[in-house]
Amino acid sequence: MILLKNGTVYTMDEAGVFVGDVKFDQGKIVAVGKDLSTDGCEVIDCTGKNIYPGFIDGHSHLGMQESSIRFEGDDVNEMSDPLTPHVRAIDALNPMDETIHNAACGGVTTVCSGPGSANVIGGTFAIWKTNGHVIDKMVINPMAAMKCAFGENPKRVYSDNKIKTRMQTAAYLRETLMKTKEYMAKKALAGDDISKQPAYDMKLEAMIPVLEKKIPLKTHAHRADDILTALRIAREFDVLMTLDHCTEGHLIVDEVKASGFPAFVGPSLTDKSKFELKNLTFATAGILNKAGVKIALITDAPVIPQEYLPLCAGLACKKGLAEMEALKAITINPAEILGIADRVGSLTAGKDADIVVSDGNIFNTLTNVNYTFINGEKVYQF
């Protein structure tokens, strides 16, 4: 049993922020409070230090595009077909790449990573912890969301023969959703009679959880018109959706708010590398947050190295996002959006012991992470 003693505890739950202790054992938080008993505990003095829940990035490609390597380690985009809902991130994740340990050293303990934005439908994202050597033992949810993409990327990748306009991108997605509805209806009508079942279609099978609202469409959309197209299709088919990147969300804040969908905002610590990023600003997160949109901040790693997630939150503060809201945006908010708040996102008894100890405000560039614990295991010490 480990006791973190006398630190400033950012619980991210109703207990708020206070100077106190966090006790954990066998991978779970046992108690959070003041003057907790030290009996039977390994005590770590956290006087003058901050104690946070492990940080969570809700959209990256960690483990899929390896460090210091080219095509051999790049498994982000399956660019053989614009429609690949049947591919799964878990089959491409390499937990032994150095970027995973770097993430943990920076306090990022949970990520949702998956396919890139080359395809109209790219496949499923997985949620996993940044410690271990076997991805099957690290994963929280192997099929957490279905990636889809609007805007420049599908047009660029498939401009030679399949996609030349945004109209075609939207049409591909609509067609796949309609075919899935038809496929589901045929399966239901056939019941248990295998002779009447439609021919097995792996792609359509993968889309069924989307139409059953078991997983959301994880929607890559930067420009305002692309965000609106995504929302239009979500309404047409009554599906769940997260607005990933949402770069121009601040220009259509009322529509984003009215949708009820959360936004994974970022990456903002990058150059305007293409036209659809011309309105990129760290102010987006604060504007959406003030309007009542649930936001989480992302790195899109390796676009921004995964360990710089807290830095991105700090820069969003500089542009108007309140400090506690920024902290929520890398802890409890992504946990709730991803459906894993019963395990992570706050320092609450019963949750996983994913804990970060730092020697100052985590948004400050001079602050060091002193300890990172994942499932109660000390995976990094400064």
Side-chain angles (χ1 to χ4, degrees):
M1 188 176 295
I2 296 177
L3 178 68
L4 304 178
K5 188 72 176 172
N6 202 39
T8 300
V9 182
Y10 290 77
T11 65
M12 307 315 297
D13 64 15
E14 62 276 3
V17 182
F18 58 89
V19 175
D21 313 329
V22 179
K23 184 183 292 188
F24 53 98
D25 187 37
Q26 296 183 348
K28 296 291 183 180
I29 297 171
V30 174
V32 181
K34 297 181 179 181
D35 300 318
L36 299 181
S37 171
T38 61
D39 291 348
C41 294
E42 173 192 343
V43 178
I44 298 177
D45 183 12
C46 294
T47 301
K49 301 184 186 300
N50 292 344
I51 305 174
Y52 301 99
F55 306 128
I56 303 168
D57 192 329
H59 179 119
S60 78
H61 310 287
L62 190 71
M64 300 189 71
Q65 189 168 351
E66 299 167 34
S67 177
S68 307
I69 195 170
R70 296 187 179 183
F71 78 93
E72 300 93 339
D74 184 350
D75 294 297
V76 176
N77 287 296
E78 178 50 59
M79 294 185 289
S80 58
D81 187 333
L83 298 170
T84 58
H86 57 305
V87 304
R88 303 177 183 183
I90 194 171
D91 296 320
L93 294 170
N94 178 11
M96 297 186 192
D97 187 66
E98 67 175 350
T99 54
I100 287 79
H101 181 64
N102 292 344
C105 294
V108 180
T109 58
T110 302
V111 295
C112 182
S113 68
S117 52
N119 295 351
V120 177
I121 306 177
T124 48
F125 270 57
I127 304 170
W128 49 287
K129 301 286 188 79
T130 57
N131 181 48
H133 299 293
V134 179
I135 193 63
D136 304 82
K137 296 179 180 179
M138 301 159 66
V139 73
I140 297 175
N141 185 349
M143 298 179 68
M146 179 63 70
K147 179 67 178 289
C148 67
F150 295 86
E152 296 179 22
N153 288 8
K155 285 180 59 178
R156 172 178 51 80
V157 173
Y158 295 100
S159 61
D160 289 345
N161 56 3
K162 291 186 177 181
I163 301 175
K164 295 186 181 296
T165 66
R166 283 174 163 81
M167 295 183 293
Q168 179 71 323
T169 296
Y172 266 132
L173 180 56
R174 280 194 179 94
E175 181 182 33
T176 304
L177 289 166
M178 285 299 299
K179 284 183 175 179
T180 306
K181 288 182 69 173
E182 181 182 48
Y183 184 74
M184 292 169 65
K186 288 179 178 178
K187 289 185 68 172
L189 189 62
D192 295 330
D193 188 345
I194 194 169
S195 67
K196 295 181 180 179
Q197 289 280 347
Y200 177 78
D201 189 315
M202 192 175 184
K203 292 183 177 183
L204 299 183
E205 286 285 341
M207 290 296 292
I208 288 175
V210 173
L211 283 166
E212 290 181 337
K213 301 176 88 167
K214 293 180 178 177
I215 64 173
L217 285 174
K218 194 167 183 61
T219 306
H220 166 106
H222 287 284
R223 228 167 65 175
D225 57 334
D226 292 323
I227 298 169
L228 293 172
T229 298
L231 296 178
R232 187 180 310 118
I233 292 174
R235 289 193 299 268
E236 289 175 20
F237 290 92
D238 187 26
V239 295
L240 300 176
M241 181 173 283
T242 62
L243 301 175
D244 292 45
H245 306 309
C246 207
T247 302
E248 291 188 354
H250 62 285
L251 302 181
I252 51 168
V253 63
D254 291 341
E255 286 74 14
V256 174
K257 167 63 176 173
S259 76
F261 295 137
F264 286 114
V265 181
S268 303
L269 186 59
T270 182
D271 67 326
K272 298 178 180 181
S273 58
K274 51 186 176 179
F275 181 74
E276 64 187 11
L277 299 181
K278 66 185 179 71
N279 288 308
L280 178 71
T281 171
F282 269 106
T284 302
I287 294 170
L288 291 174
N289 173 260
K290 288 174 184 175
V293 177
K294 178 167 282 190
I295 63 153
L297 297 171
I298 63 172
T299 62
D300 204 21
V303 176
I304 301 169
Q306 189 71 77
E307 59 269 28
Y308 294 149
L309 179 62
L311 173 60
C312 294
L315 291 169
C317 289
K318 190 175 180 180
K319 285 294 186 178
L321 183 62
E323 186 169 336
M324 283 305 298
E325 294 300 314
L327 194 54
K328 288 180 183 178
I330 60 172
T331 56
I332 192 61
N333 282 6
E336 290 176 348
I337 296 169
L338 296 171
I340 55 173
D342 61 325
R343 291 190 56 179
V344 296
S346 67
L347 297 176
T348 305
K351 289 194 179 185
D352 295 356
D354 294 356
I355 304 168
V356 178
V357 179
S358 69
D359 59 12
N361 186 321
I362 198 63
F363 298 155
N364 189 324
T365 57
L366 298 180
T367 292
N368 296 303
V369 171
N370 297 121
Y371 298 94
T372 302
F373 298 90
I374 299 178
N375 294 328
E377 179 183 350
K378 182 166 51 179
V379 300
Y380 173 71
Q381 180 175 354
F382 180 67

